[in-house]
Amino acid sequence: MAWRRRKRPLAVLADRYALYQAAVQNPELEVELFEQFYREAYGRRARPLTLREDFCGTAYLCATWAVSHPRRRAVGVDRDPEPLAWGEIHNLATAGPSVLRRVRLIQGDVRTVRTDPTHIVCALNFSYCALRRRRDLLDYFRNARAAVAARGLFVLDVLGGTATLDVAEDVRDIDGHPAIYIWEQTRFDVLSHHLEAHIHFEFLDGSKLERAFSYDWRLWTLPELTDLLQEAGFSEVRFYNEVFEEGDDPEYLSPTGEYRRVTEMENQESWVVYGVALP
Ligand SMILES: C[S@@+](CC[C@H](N)C(=O)[O-])C[C@H]1O[C@@H](n2cnc3c(N)ncnc32)[C@H](O)[C@@H]1O
């Protein structure tokens, strides 16, 4: 009797961390932005060498940082051992022994972890929004402040815009994967700015990885973050917004990947701004 292999749904075969990295992370761009923010804070020739990536998950950024220069070192902090172990195999070990030696992963809480001062401390993909109480975010910012070197920076990204303050859905292709990425905001409370959102992946064969990642956030505003960062001891807070230009379709402006410092900004449907705090 001929044996025929039953096709398994793509969703069963998929790796949610690989999909997440491909869908929402761009660590090469972030390394370039850190260099730009650092030059603009400390002079044209200043180069950051050390990084602490808080809420590091799979430590994709730590690995990219270490790959970007042989003298660069990174430490990644996350409380969940699962993404750390995944990242150690898929991001660090695959980058080779030199990268593996120059990146240290710590399983711990970003509010209490102690590390040597680094040129950059960062909290990306809005992960600090998981700290929903003001005092928890302030504890975290104080701890981050203690870890920023004298000539260092704390960098965080901020999500906002009219569409983020509501239930909503955003769908995109994922380069190099037979899947689409779906960001679904299922609940937003105006009183508390509590946002519940999920990432789903849907595959070419119709199978789905529902709620591959779920978030229970407080959507902090830029002025709240500025106040908290200053209260935590940072002397100055700068914001960088992406430059958009006219593309083929006159109805829409296209993102350029270039970020400029702003002191005023019009609201849009959705935006991501980088906050840069100086010690
Ligand atoms: C959305 S992932 C961020 C992954 C990656 N940094 C990025 O930019 O996409 C958020 C991570 O924060 C971690 N996390 C949440 N609260 C934490 C805390 N208090 N201390 C350390 N890690 C925390 C979770 O375990 C999770 O891996």
Side-chain angles (χ1 to χ4, degrees), residues 26 54 56 59 62 64 67 80 83 94 109 120 157-158 169 173 178 204 206-207 235 237:
N26 188 350
D54 286 340
C56 71
C62 287
T64 308
V67 167
D80 186 349
T94 52
D109 193 306
I120 307 283
D157 53 4
V158 188
E169 196 174 273
D173 290 331
L204 282 180
S207 62
S235 64
V237 183

Coordinates of all heavy atoms in Angstrom, one line a residue, residues 26 54 56 59 62 64 67 80 83 94 109 120 157-158 169 173 178 204 206-207 235 237:
N26 N 13.3 45.5 13.3 CA 14.3 46.0 12.3 C 15.5 46.5 13.1 O 15.8 47.7 13.2 CB 13.6 47.1 11.5 CG 14.5 47.5 10.3 OD1 15.6 47.1 10.2 ND2 14.0 48.3 9.5
D54 N 16.6 46.1 27.4 CA 15.6 45.7 28.4 C 14.5 45.1 27.6 O 14.2 45.4 26.4 CB 15.2 46.8 29.2 CG 16.2 47.2 30.3 OD1 17.1 46.4 30.5 OD2 16.2 48.4 30.8
C56 N 14.3 42.2 26.4 CA 15.0 41.8 25.1 C 14.3 40.7 24.4 O 14.6 40.5 23.2 CB 16.4 41.5 25.4 SG 16.6 39.9 26.3
A59 N 16.5 38.7 22.0 CA 17.8 39.3 22.0 C 18.3 39.5 20.5 O 19.5 39.6 20.3 CB 18.8 38.6 22.8
C62 N 20.4 42.7 20.5 CA 21.7 42.4 21.2 C 22.7 41.8 20.1 O 23.8 42.2 20.0 CB 21.6 41.5 22.3 SG 20.9 42.1 23.8
T64 N 22.4 41.8 16.8 CA 22.7 42.7 15.7 C 23.7 43.8 16.1 O 24.6 44.2 15.4 CB 21.4 43.4 15.2 OG1 20.5 42.3 15.0 CG2 21.6 44.2 14.0
V67 N 27.1 42.1 16.2 CA 27.6 41.9 14.8 C 28.1 43.2 14.2 O 29.0 43.2 13.3 CB 26.4 41.2 14.0 CG1 26.7 41.3 12.5 CG2 26.1 39.8 14.4
D80 N 11.4 36.2 31.0 CA 10.8 35.0 30.5 C 12.0 34.1 29.9 O 12.6 34.5 28.9 CB 9.8 35.3 29.4 CG 9.1 34.0 28.9 OD1 9.5 32.9 29.2 OD2 8.1 34.2 28.1
P83 N 11.8 33.0 25.5 CA 12.5 33.7 24.3 C 14.0 33.8 24.5 O 14.7 33.9 23.5 CB 11.8 35.1 24.4 CG 11.1 35.2 25.7 CD 10.9 33.8 26.2
T94 N 24.1 31.3 16.2 CA 24.2 31.3 14.8 C 25.1 32.4 14.3 O 25.6 32.4 13.2 CB 22.8 31.4 14.1 OG1 22.2 32.6 14.6 CG2 22.0 30.2 14.3
D109 N 14.1 40.9 36.2 CA 13.1 41.9 36.1 C 13.8 43.2 35.8 O 14.7 43.6 36.5 CB 12.2 42.0 37.4 CG 11.0 42.9 37.2 OD1 11.1 44.0 36.7 OD2 9.9 42.4 37.5
I120 N 24.2 52.8 25.8 CA 22.8 52.8 25.4 C 22.0 51.8 26.3 O 22.5 50.7 26.5 CB 22.5 52.3 23.9 CG1 23.4 53.1 22.9 CG2 21.0 52.4 23.6 CD1 22.9 54.5 22.6
D157 N 10.8 53.5 22.3 CA 9.9 53.9 21.3 C 8.5 54.1 21.8 O 8.1 53.5 22.8 CB 9.9 52.9 20.0 CG 9.7 51.5 20.4 OD1 9.4 51.2 21.6 OD2 9.8 50.6 19.5
V158 N 7.7 54.9 21.2 CA 6.4 55.3 21.7 C 5.4 55.1 20.6 O 5.7 55.6 19.5 CB 6.4 56.8 22.2 CG1 5.1 57.1 22.9 CG2 7.6 57.1 23.1
E169 N -7.6 47.1 13.5 CA -6.8 46.0 13.0 C -5.9 46.5 11.9 O -6.3 47.4 11.1 CB -7.8 45.0 12.4 CG -7.2 43.6 12.2 CD -8.2 42.6 11.7 OE1 -8.8 41.9 12.6 OE2 -8.3 42.4 10.5
D173 N 1.9 42.0 4.9 CA 2.7 40.8 4.5 C 4.0 40.7 5.4 O 4.4 41.8 5.9 CB 3.1 40.9 3.1 CG 2.0 40.8 2.1 OD1 1.0 40.1 2.5 OD2 2.0 41.4 1.0
P178 N 5.5 32.7 4.4 CA 4.2 32.5 3.7 C 3.1 32.9 4.6 O 2.1 32.1 4.8 CB 4.3 31.0 3.4 CG 5.0 30.4 4.5 CD 6.1 31.4 4.9
L204 N -0.6 31.0 4.0 CA -1.1 30.9 2.7 C -2.1 29.7 2.5 O -3.0 29.8 1.7 CB 0.0 30.6 1.7 CG 0.9 31.8 1.3 CD1 2.0 31.4 0.4 CD2 0.0 32.9 0.7
G206 N -4.4 29.0 4.6 CA -5.6 29.4 5.4 C -5.5 29.1 6.9 O -6.3 29.5 7.6
S207 N -4.4 28.3 7.3 CA -4.3 28.0 8.7 C -3.9 29.3 9.5 O -3.3 30.2 8.9 CB -3.4 26.9 8.9 OG -2.1 27.2 8.5
S235 N 18.1 64.3 32.5 CA 18.2 65.8 32.5 C 17.4 66.4 31.3 O 17.0 67.5 31.3 CB 19.6 66.2 32.5 OG 20.2 65.8 31.3
V237 N 14.9 65.2 27.6 CA 14.2 64.2 26.8 C 14.0 64.7 25.4 O 13.5 65.8 25.3 CB 12.9 63.8 27.5 CG1 12.2 62.7 26.7 CG2 13.1 63.4 28.9

